[in-house]
Each structure stands twice: as structure tokens, then as C-alpha cells.
Amino acid sequence: MEHALEAPHPPINLNKFLNEFINNTSSEGADNVPFYFDKKPPVSQDVAATCSLELLASPDDNMIINFEPGAELQRSNVTKPASNKHVPKIYTAISKHKDNSRRNPFARTQYSYRLVPEPKPNENSNAAWILKQFELLITVRFYRPPRAAHRGFKLERPVFSEEFLCLGSNYLSELRDKISCVCNGKRLVDVSEQPDAALPVLDSDPGYFFIYNTFYNDTRNANNCDYSQTVLNWAKTAHGLQQKQFEVAAMEQTKFIDLTVSLGAPVQYLHHGNCEHLFVFSQVEVLRPHTRYLNHSLYPLMRALNSFNRRSCFMCGQRAYHFIVEQSRRQLYDPSYLCRSCFYSFHYVDGKKVGQFKAYRLYDHTESGDEEEEDESQDKQD
């Protein structure tokens, strides 16, 4: 991890950084266009196609996929054996599965991720996509929130979640709208007494970015509460923070180029009450005019995502979780993540709650049809 292995860089103001770069760089004339943007390339099309960098590949390369937001399905790790065949032991089944799988160090693990291809212009949009002025390209890497805690301490190290390419002209609110989180668009409430009760309607979506002693609140919705005020009130009495000066601004009015950042230093994105994401500014690149095709409407642009972000049920390990259970003495972990089938069979008898616990449902019934279809398919196989 960047913020664990390397010391953070000194803070820099991105606007000042770009202006100094422009002043220290000699201006280029209109005729000095790089050869790869010239209408008449110096080599033939056959040579250019043969020497294309897209032809370079290795069996250990990260997978490149087209990212499409939507419901995720949890695949079973081991195929369920037929009833008329010998059921292998767990160790034998897992060993056989690993032997038959491809030995790739960049396979599906919590430390690997997949790249998303950048969009390419067509012949009609080449001229419109050429960068006309200096621009900053900022790389932002997000890490998923820890999922287990004990006595107030988080037990899971931050794991990479997704990476975005942002332009200096982008607003912080544009980045927030593209961050993936299971809490997006939901208001989680305790439904342990009535697990099938309808979830409340979400009429607000507060949150903030905390970057270099400044809270950037989302004030686009008048119903959004001010999370930063709670932290500021705490900081007034917290040891070592009484003399610290903090500022507050609106993220929908702040562009990336207006920020002061420290590369590699962890900063915070908080929303949904206590859903905390750590993220880092890992790279800042200056884009010179006429050196790149760029469609501003596509940015912030997701460049990579971790396919290990979904957690399977803690009990069966075969389905995606639909319930989060907290403060239960019958579970080994707090919180525990359970699918619908395991949640109802373990925590309820004849529809009545067993023991004391809190349960939060992530999906409505219209979103949970995948698991029911999976159960029906398994019953038919049996």
C-alpha cells in the first residue's frame, strides 16, 4: 500500500503547481504538433499496426474488462457433487480445484485488480478529443472500508477497491457520484424484528471528503446534514487538536485543481453515517496541449477495480450476503455477513427472533431475486 510503505510527499497546491509548470515550459507553436497527432503519420498503416503497443501481452498481465455497474453474483468455489457420486473431503476438493485452475499470480485475490480500458476516439471525434490546453490528470485510489471490528478497533487492513483518473477541471462531487459502495442509495436500519419490512425512503445523502485539514461537504441536497460539524465539535476537546485550524467548503463548488494534496498520504471519504473510505492521491500528471485525445465528459474515469470486493456468506460460503448482523453472541465475527437462507435458518424459529442482535438488510425483494433463482436451480439439480 502506498501510505504504508512510503512516506507521504510534502503538500502541494495543484493550481500553483500547474502555473509554475506552464511558466517554466517554453510555449510551443501551432506547427510543432507531435508526429502521432499529425494527419500524415511518418510510417505506413501496416507498420503502425504491426508495432502497436496493444500487441504486447503476457500471461501474467492483469485482466482488462469493460466495467458495467449492476448486481453482482457470487460464484460457488467448488462444484456441488451429484448425489449418486462419492462426496470428496474438503481438502481433496479444494486441492483438486486449485490444481485444475490457472496458476496466475494476478488471479482473483484481495491484492489484485482488473484494468478498465480507456475509451478511444473514432475518426469523426478525433479533432474534438484533442487536448487544446494544459490540464492536470490526477490518479485517486480508493480502499474499501474495514468489515470487522473488535472493541472499537478495526481488524481488517484497507484493501484496494477502485482507481479513478480525474481532471483538474472536475468537481469533487463528480468523483463522489462515481464511487462504488454497497451503502449508496440505501438507508440501513435494524430490521431484526421484521426482516421483510420495507426499507425507508432515502431523502438525503450527506457525506464529505477530508483533504488537507479541509472538510468538503456535499450540500447539493438541502436535507443533507453536516457531518463535518460533529467532527469539528469533537476536535475542540480532543487531545492535540485544540489548536488545529480546520476549514469547511462545498465539494460541488471545488475543483481538483483548487486542492492542496500530499501524494501518498491517506485522506478520508465519509458517508452514510460511519461508512469510511480511505483514499490517496497517488499521481499527478501534466497533460500538454495537442499530446493526447481526451473526452472531458467521461471524467472522472474508472481505470481499475478490485474484483475481490464482494464478500460471500460467512456460513455457507456459496452465496453473496444480503444481511449484516451485529451484536450477536451466536456469531464468531461482529459484524457477520449472511445470505438470506442462512440468516433466516440460524436466527429465527417459526418466524420468531432468537437471541439479541441487530440486522441490516442491504437489498429489497426486487433486488434479491438472484439468490432465489440460485436456490431453485440447486433444488432442481438435487
Side-chain angles (χ1 to χ4, degrees):
M1 292 176 57
E2 297 89 344
H3 56 274
L5 301 179
E6 299 180 5
H9 291 252
I12 58 173
N13 182 274
L14 297 182
N15 195 358
K16 182 179 178 181
F17 168 76
L18 179 60
N19 291 332
E20 290 181 352
F21 180 89
I22 297 175
N23 294 334
N24 295 333
T25 304
S26 57
S27 59
E28 296 182 355
D31 298 334
N32 295 330
V33 179
F35 69 89
Y36 43 84
F37 277 95
D38 195 352
K39 295 182 179 180
K40 297 181 180 180
V43 296
S44 63
Q45 295 182 354
D46 296 337
V47 174
T50 305
C51 302
S52 174
L53 295 178
E54 296 182 358
L55 300 178
L56 298 178
S58 170
D60 292 338
D61 286 345
N62 282 1
M63 296 183 63
I64 299 179
I65 61 173
N66 291 320
F67 175 74
E68 296 181 0
E72 300 183 42
L73 299 179
Q74 185 71 27
R75 298 178 299 174
S76 302
N77 294 329
V78 180
T79 304
K80 185 177 180 180
S83 57
N84 58 346
K85 295 184 179 180
H86 171 68
V87 179
K89 295 181 179 180
I90 295 178
Y91 178 83
T92 305
I94 294 178
S95 300
K96 183 179 179 180
H97 174 72
K98 289 186 176 181
D99 291 339
N100 295 333
S101 62
R102 179 185 178 189
R103 298 182 179 275
N104 185 349
F106 295 100
R108 185 177 179 270
T109 68
Q110 61 179 337
Y111 304 107
S112 63
Y113 56 89
R114 299 184 180 183
L115 299 176
V116 180
E118 295 188 25
K120 297 181 180 179
N122 52 39
E123 297 180 356
N124 298 328
S125 61
N126 278 352
W129 281 35
I130 294 180
L131 189 63
K132 301 296 193 305
Q133 59 185 1
F134 283 92
E135 182 65 277
L136 286 181
L137 186 66
I138 305 156
T139 303
V140 185
R141 296 174 61 87
F142 279 85
Y143 297 84
R144 75 183 186 200
R147 298 174 175 174
H150 179 66
R151 295 182 179 179
F153 294 95
K154 298 175 180 178
L155 304 180
E156 186 182 44
R157 70 173 61 182
V159 177
F160 170 76
S161 175
E162 50 193 354
E163 181 180 83
F164 293 94
L165 297 178
C166 306
L167 301 177
S169 56
N170 287 137
Y171 289 93
L172 293 179
S173 56
E174 296 177 316
L175 173 62
R176 193 203 173 188
D177 293 340
K178 293 192 175 183
I179 299 173
S180 301
C181 182
V182 70
C183 296
N184 287 346
K186 301 179 178 67
R187 186 173 299 284
L188 305 183
V189 295
D190 182 12
V191 295
S192 58
E193 298 294 341
Q194 296 180 343
D196 293 327
L199 297 179
V201 178
L202 186 68
D203 59 351
S204 63
D205 189 19
Y208 69 73
F209 291 111
F210 180 64
I211 305 172
Y212 195 65
N213 299 333
T214 302
F215 293 91
Y216 297 96
N217 293 314
D218 190 341
T219 59
R220 290 175 291 179
N221 188 340
N223 295 326
N224 287 351
C225 60
D226 188 353
Y227 284 161
S228 64
Q229 191 59 46
T230 303
V231 182
L232 292 173
N233 293 337
W234 166 81
K236 293 178 182 179
T237 58
H239 178 71
L241 296 178
Q242 293 88 343
Q243 306 300 326
K244 196 77 171 179
Q245 297 295 326
F246 298 100
E247 298 180 0
V248 178
M251 68 170 64
E252 66 273 13
Q253 300 176 2
T254 305
K255 296 183 178 181
F256 278 88
I257 199 171
D258 300 325
L259 297 177
T260 298
V261 302
S262 179
L263 298 183
V267 287
Q268 180 195 37
Y269 165 54
L270 183 74
H271 71 127
H272 206 277
N274 62 348
C275 187
E276 179 184 17
H277 301 249
L278 293 181
F279 67 100
V280 297
F281 295 92
S282 60
Q283 180 175 315
V284 177
E285 179 183 356
V286 178
L287 304 181
R288 296 164 62 90
H290 305 287
T291 59
R292 182 165 180 159
Y293 292 115
L294 199 67
N295 187 350
H296 289 74
S297 63
L298 300 178
Y299 289 80
L301 177 68
M302 176 183 287
R303 185 171 67 174
L305 74 154
N306 189 346
S307 58
F308 203 76
N309 287 327
R310 286 285 291 178
R311 184 182 288 278
S312 58
C313 174
F314 275 18
M315 298 188 69
C316 67
Q318 294 185 352
R319 306 182 185 90
Y321 72 92
H322 280 231
F323 286 88
I324 302 176
V325 180
E326 293 183 345
Q327 303 177 15
S328 173
R329 294 188 176 183
R330 306 181 67 207
Q331 294 288 342
L332 296 177
Y333 300 96
D334 188 9
S336 294
Y337 300 83
L338 305 179
C339 65
R340 294 181 61 88
S341 178
C342 294
F343 173 76
Y344 283 104
S345 62
F346 189 73
H347 286 285
Y348 295 86
V349 175
D350 298 330
K352 295 183 179 180
K353 177 180 176 181
V354 178
Q356 297 296 323
F357 62 90
K358 293 183 178 181
Y360 304 92
R361 192 176 75 244
L362 298 182
Y363 307 107
D364 285 324
H365 299 294
T366 56
E367 301 176 84
S368 60
D370 298 328
E371 182 180 342
E372 296 174 357
E373 293 177 0
E374 182 179 350
D375 292 338
E376 294 177 359
S377 62
Q378 290 183 359
D379 294 338
K380 293 179 181 180
Q381 292 177 2
D382 294 341

